[in-house]
Amino acid sequence: MAGKQTIRIALTGHRPSRLGGYDYYSPVNIAIAFKLREHLLSHIKQGKKIIAIGGMALGADTIFALVALKLKKQGFPVQFEAAIPCMNHEKKWPKESQEMWHSIVDQADLVTYTSTMLYQPYLMQVRNEYMVNTCDELIAIFDGSKGGTANCVDYAKKKEKKI
């Protein structure tokens, strides 16, 4: 990986209820994963090393993490950074989702807690701002509705990031 240009790519996106549900093998989620893989591979084909920054939420964030980690396992120049918004981020999720979260964190090349506080809704935006501030490009899986993904996209536009 030495000598390659590095690109830091972050992702913001919706939760399972607005995507293909909690089944990461649903047709919608598989289609999202395929598009994400194609996009990351397009950068790799240009000779770039990727640092994928995931916000560790359910839904789009999890799909992105799984794609990045699979590419890494397949020998592609990809590293994964888990950007975690608070100390107990996953604690109220279903057991299966918590296990997936811990598996992803365990495989991450870098784990960044953007706050040492316990869950507060505004900490999700603090995490989003960290991802935008440190990325070269933001991928948005976004339907235009209001909420955290919209806030992240608006912040990225304000910071003039490639989206």
Side-chain angles (χ1 to χ4, degrees):
M1 286 197 249
K4 290 183 184 247
Q5 177 189 355
T6 299
I7 183 168
R8 293 179 55 85
I9 302 173
L11 177 132
T12 187
H14 294 303
R15 302 301 160 256
S17 61
R18 289 206 179 143
L19 300 172
Y22 287 87
D23 175 5
Y24 289 104
Y25 296 101
S26 74
V28 170
N29 289 338
I30 291 290
I32 291 167
F34 182 77
K35 288 287 189 186
L36 289 171
R37 180 179 169 83
E38 281 184 330
H39 185 74
L40 296 179
L41 285 172
S42 73
H43 282 292
I44 292 167
K45 288 175 185 168
Q46 296 172 32
K48 297 176 187 172
K49 172 186 165 186
I50 295 172
I51 299 174
I53 309 165
M56 298 305 297
L58 296 171
D61 292 15
T62 299
I63 295 168
F64 184 60
L66 294 172
V67 168
L69 290 170
K70 185 168 185 177
L71 287 170
K72 176 184 165 185
K73 283 181 188 169
Q74 292 172 333
F76 291 100
V78 176
Q79 293 181 338
F80 180 73
E81 178 181 356
I84 302 172
C86 55
M87 297 309 293
N88 61 340
H89 184 227
E90 82 294 359
K91 293 296 184 216
K92 292 185 178 180
W93 297 351
K95 183 179 182 213
E96 186 176 296
S97 296
Q98 288 186 41
E99 289 171 356
M100 173 83 72
W101 187 92
H102 284 283
S103 173
I104 291 168
V105 171
D106 289 346
Q107 296 174 71
D109 297 284
L110 177 64
V111 176
T112 303
Y113 281 87
T114 58
S115 169
T116 56
M117 297 173 57
L118 296 179
Y119 179 86
Q120 293 291 322
Y122 79 91
L123 294 175
M124 305 310 113
Q125 183 63 19
V126 171
R127 181 257 339 264
N128 290 347
E129 290 177 11
Y130 165 80
M131 292 192 313
V132 168
N133 290 341
T134 62
C135 77
D136 300 303
E137 175 181 299
L138 178 71
I139 298 171
I141 299 176
F142 178 48
D143 66 7
S145 60
K146 292 182 180 182
T149 301
N151 293 342
C152 188
V153 169
D154 289 345
Y155 184 76
K157 287 177 181 175
K158 187 172 101 177
K159 292 292 184 175
E160 299 180 346
K161 293 291 181 162
K162 180 180 178 187
I163 303 171

